Amino acid sequence: MVNNDLVSSEHLPVAEACLRNQRPILDVLGKYLPASSYVLEVGSGTGQHAAYMTEHLPGVRWQPTEVRERLNDIRLWQTHCQRDGFLAPLELDVRQDIWPTREADAVFSANVVHFVSWAEVESLFRGAQRALRTGGLLILYGPYNYDGQFTSEGNIALDQWLRERNPDSGIKDFEQIVLLGRSHDLFLRADEEMPANNRTLIFQKAEIS
Ligand SMILES: C[S@@+](CC[C@H](N)C(=O)[O-])C[C@H]1O[C@@H](n2cnc3c(N)ncnc32)[C@H](O)[C@@H]1O
C-alpha cells in the first residue's frame, strides 16, 4: 500500500510507450469524449494515462483499474497527482462477472487487446457492454491486423514477442473485433490512425434492440 505522503516523481513507474502515445491518445479522446465524462479504464498498467488525461481533460473523472498485483503502481501515480478527477484504482480482471461500474460514458483500454487471449477480449466486450450507458463509447487503442495482414514489420515482431510469452495472446484482426462489437450492441463509429502503426477503435453502445 502507498502511504498518504506525496510520492515524488523519481519513485513513479514509467512505461516508455505511454510517454510516446499519451499525446495522440489525448487528441482522439478530446474529439470524442463529452467534456464532462466518467471513464472506466481497463488494464491501466502504470496509471500514466489516468495521470495525463486527467491533467489535460479537467472535466473527466477517470477510473483506472487493473488486476490486483498491478494496483500499487497506479496508487503511486494517484498519490503523486492529487487530482480530483483521478479516482482511486479498483481491481478489475476482465474475466470477472461483475464489474465495479455501470453507466460509464466511456470504457477506455490501451494496449490490452493484443496482450490478452481472444477469450479475454470477449470478456472485455461483455463487461464493457454492461458497464456503459446507452450511447457510451468503448475506446480501444493498439495495433490491429487488416485483411489478415500485419501492418508493419514492428507489429510482426511485437506479435512474435507476445506469443512467445503467452501463445494465446497476439495482435487481433480488426474485422473480428468489429463483429465481436456488433454481437454486444457496440457498433464501430471510428477507426483513427495513430502513430507507429497503431489505431484507436471507437465503438458506440446502441439501444438494446
Ligand atoms: C501492455 S500492458 C498495457 C498497460 C497500459 N494500458 C498501457 O497502455 O501502458 C497490458 C495490461 O493488461 C493488463 N491485463 C492483462 N490481463 C488482464 C485481464 N485479464 N484483465 C484486466 N487487465 C489485464 C496487464 O496487467 C497489463 O497492465
Side-chain angles (χ1 to χ4, degrees):
M1 290 296 285
V2 177
N3 78 31
N4 278 339
D5 295 340
L6 289 188
V7 174
S8 59
S9 344
E10 70 266 25
H11 295 116
L12 294 172
V14 173
E16 293 296 323
C18 282
L19 298 177
R20 290 192 296 273
N21 65 32
Q22 59 195 12
R23 179 74 223 188
I25 291 176
L26 171 68
D27 291 342
V28 172
L29 293 185
K31 206 161 119 183
Y32 291 96
L33 279 183
S36 162
S37 302
Y38 175 74
V39 179
L40 175 74
E41 183 183 14
V42 175
S44 300
T46 56
Q48 282 166 266
H49 285 135
Y52 189 82
M53 302 310 158
T54 53
E55 181 185 355
H56 294 277
L57 299 169
V60 165
R61 281 178 308 131
W62 191 280
Q63 177 61 71
T65 69
E66 254 296 349
V67 295
R68 181 175 306 174
E69 55 273 22
R70 297 225 51 192
L71 286 172
N72 218 39
D73 281 0
I74 308 169
R75 288 192 189 109
L76 290 171
W77 273 97
Q78 192 221 357
T79 307
H80 172 77
C81 291
Q82 296 285 308
R83 201 171 290 131
D84 288 347
F86 188 157
L87 305 176
L90 296 174
E91 181 177 348
L92 175 62
D93 184 312
V94 291
R95 293 167 292 191
Q96 281 170 221
D97 279 338
I98 298 177
W99 284 29
T101 285
R102 281 186 177 268
E103 295 297 304
D105 296 301
V107 170
F108 169 78
S109 194
N111 285 327
V112 171
V113 167
H114 63 270
F115 195 79
V116 300
S117 65
W118 182 253
E120 286 168 290
V121 177
E122 289 177 322
S123 299
L124 170 56
F125 274 77
R126 194 166 43 247
Q129 180 189 23
R130 293 193 199 131
L132 286 168
R133 64 166 170 79
T134 299
L137 304 175
L138 170 62
I139 304 175
L140 300 176
Y141 168 88
Y144 295 91
N145 290 340
Y146 289 77
D147 295 324
Q149 306 291 319
F150 292 103
T151 59
S152 71
E153 293 296 321
N155 283 354
I156 295 176
L158 172 64
D159 186 76
Q160 204 173 345
W161 177 82
L162 287 163
R163 288 176 197 275
E164 278 164 18
R165 202 194 103 263
N166 170 8
D168 293 332
S169 68
I171 297 180
K172 311 294 186 290
D173 285 332
F174 167 80
E175 296 82 0
Q176 284 186 14
I177 293 282
V178 171
L179 285 177
L180 180 62
R182 248 181 245 168
S183 66
H184 290 84
D185 298 309
L186 293 162
F187 294 93
L188 188 72
R189 184 167 147 195
D191 171 10
E192 295 272 355
E193 186 172 358
M194 307 296 285
N197 301 292
N198 287 296
R199 317 291 300 188
T200 298
L201 308 184
I202 294 150
F203 297 85
Q204 187 160 33
K205 180 174 167 178
E207 303 268 359
I208 305 293
S209 46

